[in-house]
Amino acid sequence: MPKILILLALLIFVHEKKLSLYNKDEDKLRELIHEYEYIVGKLSDLNQVGEITSLEKYCIITSMRSVLGLIAKKHNKVMKEADKVMGGEILEYEAKTIYRNGFKNGELKGEHKGKLEGKQEGELKKAIQVYKNCLNRGMSKEDALAISELKEADIPAELR
């Protein structure tokens, strides 16, 4: 994530002295809300083109929302309108999407790891069978190890 984007949360401080005005004047409040809509829209655009992840977008908007919540506690109209743009159901949905994607990626990595471990286990079993076959044909343990490409530690105790 471009590091400067997280500073968007601090942009809210520019409006701190005008919060009372925004709370009383609908036109001024709309200007503020349009600014937030623009920011959220640009973050969505960056997310769509892969410049930022959904998680980064979510974190930036959540930070903006948190800062606004701290400085605009007494300005209910401002909070209500800003929350429509920066929060509520939209953020909750994005959080669920982020969680599901993370969970799915974890499953895929685990599945891949499982396949890899399964493949390695299968190769080890095959090599042990080759080792057994070599011994059954009367080969020395050293030759059986060389042919099977096993190490002494890989050989089960019952075959030593």
Side-chain angles (χ1 to χ4, degrees), residues 140-154:
S140 69
K141 286 186 177 186
E142 292 79 26
D143 289 341
L145 281 173
I147 291 170
S148 66
E149 298 181 346
L150 288 172
K151 298 178 183 111
E152 186 77 34
D154 294 329

Side-chain angles (χ1 to χ4, degrees), residues 11-126:
L11 180 64
I12 293 165
F13 285 110
V14 170
H15 299 284
E16 186 174 15
K17 291 181 180 180
K18 299 177 188 174
L19 289 173
S20 292
L21 175 63
Y22 297 146
N23 213 45
K24 295 174 191 170
D25 185 335
E26 288 289 325
D27 292 332
K28 295 292 182 189
L29 179 58
R30 288 217 193 299
E31 289 176 22
L32 175 68
I33 297 307
H34 285 302
E35 184 176 324
Y36 288 154
E37 288 172 338
Y38 177 79
I39 291 168
V40 171
K42 287 299 179 184
L43 290 171
S44 293
D45 292 346
L46 291 171
N47 178 241
Q48 289 294 318
V49 298
E51 291 289 320
I52 61 173
T53 66
S54 294
L55 178 59
E56 291 167 332
K57 175 185 167 194
Y58 174 79
C59 290
I60 293 165
I61 293 173
T62 302
S63 297
M64 291 174 65
R65 196 172 169 206
S66 295
V67 170
L68 185 63
L70 291 171
I71 65 171
K73 288 182 211 174
K74 299 175 185 172
H75 307 284
N76 293 335
K77 257 186 172 177
V78 174
M79 287 298 298
K80 182 180 174 187
E81 293 301 312
D83 204 43
K84 288 179 185 176
V85 176
M86 295 190 297
E89 294 174 21
I90 294 169
L91 281 183
E92 179 62 25
Y93 180 76
E94 284 191 41
K96 287 179 182 176
T97 301
I98 291 163
Y99 174 79
R100 280 194 302 274
N101 288 343
F103 192 78
K104 183 178 177 182
N105 288 342
E107 282 181 333
L108 291 175
K109 287 179 183 176
E111 185 178 301
H112 175 72
K113 184 178 179 185
K115 286 180 183 177
L116 183 62
E117 288 172 356
K119 183 177 178 183
Q120 289 171 340
E121 185 179 321
E123 289 174 358
L124 179 60
K125 285 182 180 180
K126 182 178 176 183

